Amino acid sequence: MEPDSRIFVAGHAGLVGSALRRRLEARGYSRLILRTRAELDLTDRKSVHGFFEEQRPDYVFLAAAKVGGILANNTYPAVFIHDNLEIQTNIIHECWRSGVKRLLFMGSSCIYPRDCPQPMKEEHLLTGPLEPTNRPYALAKIAGVEMCWAYNRQYGTNYLATMPTNLYGPGDNYDLQDSHVLPALIRKMDDAVRERSEQAVVWGTGRVRREFLYSDDLAEACLMLMNLPDADFAGLTTARELPPMINIGCGEDLTVRELAETVARVVGFRGRLAFDSSKPDGVARKLLDTSRINALGWRPTVALAEGIDRAYRDFSTRKHASSK
């Protein structure tokens, strides 16, 4: 990507999109195309078509999505599959119609089978049943991967899907009704400290294992991928035997109990952690195999404790700003 390339970051206000925007601006990209949800409804086909006709971006980061944790996925399964299918279908199709040079589609590690071998490799896609608690979302993301693959094969496009692990960082969602596990733990621990509670309740048994990546590390990986030489990028998007997708993670995981203990130390909660085993755990483990992106020269730089500290400071800043 050249510094004056026209770059559309779909979903620039979200966790991933805001990280992409920060890194792009820091690198000197001066022609970012940004639209809020109020300015452009990505589920509206006619509006998306008109936007691409007018703006003609050179590169697109598709970070817009309907996302949430186990509770949100279980409560709104129809919304999760409908909105994500609409968003990605509209954008991928218009990227082709308007001649976008490269598209980076943000997927999720939840696309892999529930009982997938560990660590999970790209070739494990569609080799077994999905985890029921997030199947509608996962199926939508799988459809996005397949759509990128189909357009590459039929139209010669350059569309690549990234499969990041669990993400966290500045701009995350801390609403306990629809947040993911790490921001939910930050919110719960902070509430417990503020209310001087003797315990904080954590969903599930605490025994399942999860991998986490700081959002700015993901953004750096995405910029690296979009700036690969043509031959290297084509090597990821034109293979007939593998879908055009690549895992992005840190290569290490920990139990939810260990995660909760780390969050408690960062936030300053010294009470008891109570694990509610009546609540769902989700899959037992989902560690990504990151050998392909590591071979391209990328490694994460933000350790988990440091990243949680940064995220907590962002949460505190936003909380205090909203209370004024």
Side-chain angles (χ1 to χ4, degrees):
M1 299 184 297
E2 298 298 326
D4 62 347
S5 297
R6 295 179 59 79
I7 302 171
F8 175 40
V9 181
H12 74 278
L15 173 64
V16 175
S18 61
L20 288 168
R21 179 182 182 179
R22 286 193 300 274
R23 302 320 302 159
L24 286 164
E25 290 175 342
R27 294 283 190 87
Y29 292 99
S30 58
R31 302 182 70 189
L32 302 186
I33 304 170
L34 310 172
R35 293 292 186 276
T36 64
R37 187 177 304 176
E39 293 170 329
L40 176 62
D41 180 0
L42 295 176
T43 66
D44 185 289
R45 186 170 304 177
K46 184 176 180 181
S47 297
V48 175
H49 173 71
F51 167 79
F52 273 84
E53 283 285 299
E54 177 187 347
Q55 295 298 324
R56 296 284 172 173
D58 300 308
Y59 299 92
V60 172
F61 292 87
L62 207 181
K66 174 66 177 177
V67 298
I70 289 178
L71 178 60
N73 274 271
N74 278 337
T75 306
Y76 308 108
V79 174
F80 272 78
I81 193 167
H82 173 273
D83 285 7
N84 284 300
L85 285 173
E86 289 283 352
I87 290 168
Q88 62 203 35
T89 298
N90 293 340
I91 292 181
I92 292 170
H93 188 66
E94 291 304 328
C95 282
W96 166 66
R97 286 171 58 98
S98 63
V100 165
K101 296 176 182 178
R102 292 183 182 181
L103 162 71
L104 203 68
F105 168 69
M106 301 295 170
S108 167
S109 61
C110 74
I111 67 167
Y112 289 110
R114 178 191 60 217
D115 302 317
C116 196
Q118 302 293 314
M120 302 182 294
K121 298 182 179 181
E122 288 87 351
E123 55 261 38
H124 291 151
L125 180 67
L126 295 176
T127 57
L130 298 167
E131 161 61 31
T133 56
N134 57 21
R135 185 170 54 228
Y137 175 76
L139 283 170
K141 289 298 182 180
I142 291 170
V145 174
E146 189 65 36
M147 193 170 181
C148 288
W149 201 4
Y151 275 59
N152 289 349
R153 295 201 310 272
Q154 183 171 344
Y155 299 127
T157 51
N158 284 297
Y159 300 163
L160 177 64
T162 61
M163 295 302 122
T165 189
N166 299 285
L167 301 169
Y168 70 101
D172 212 338
N173 173 21
Y174 297 94
D175 187 327
L176 294 179
Q177 295 302 309
D178 55 11
S179 61
H180 289 100
V181 58
L182 203 159
L185 286 172
I186 289 176
R187 169 71 181 274
K188 285 184 176 181
M189 301 299 175
D190 182 79
D191 286 350
V193 170
R194 178 172 48 81
E195 297 167 3
R196 298 182 179 180
S197 299
E198 295 182 357
Q199 73 171 23
V201 178
V202 181
W203 270 35
T205 64
R207 293 192 293 268
V208 298
R209 303 185 69 87
R210 292 292 181 267
E211 176 188 17
F212 296 91
L213 184 69
Y214 192 64
S215 57
D216 283 52
D217 273 337
L218 171 67
E220 285 291 348
C222 292
L223 265 63
M224 183 272 288
L225 290 169
M226 285 289 258
N227 279 301
L228 286 174
D230 289 342
D232 292 337
F233 196 83
L236 297 172
T237 61
T238 60
R240 290 278 173 168
E241 68 280 5
L242 278 178
M245 55 182 275
I246 188 166
N247 291 338
I248 305 178
C250 70
E252 299 178 357
D253 61 4
L254 74 169
T255 66
V256 169
R257 175 180 289 276
E258 292 168 332
L259 174 68
E261 291 169 349
T262 302
V263 173
R265 286 195 297 271
V266 171
V267 174
F269 174 66
R270 295 177 175 81
R272 184 174 69 90
L273 298 177
F275 291 86
D276 184 356
S277 59
S278 70
K279 297 296 191 295
D281 270 331
V283 296
R285 193 183 189 193
K286 50 177 189 174
L287 177 66
L288 291 178
D289 183 306
T290 57
S291 55
R292 293 181 74 199
I293 195 165
N294 294 157
L296 293 170
W298 176 84
R299 292 285 195 288
T301 61
V302 181
L304 182 61
E306 177 188 353
I308 293 174
D309 181 67
R310 293 185 190 182
Y312 180 54
R313 282 188 274 122
D314 172 72
F315 167 78
S316 299
T317 299
R318 292 166 60 194
K319 182 181 70 172
H320 293 149
S322 64
S323 65
K324 292 181 180 179

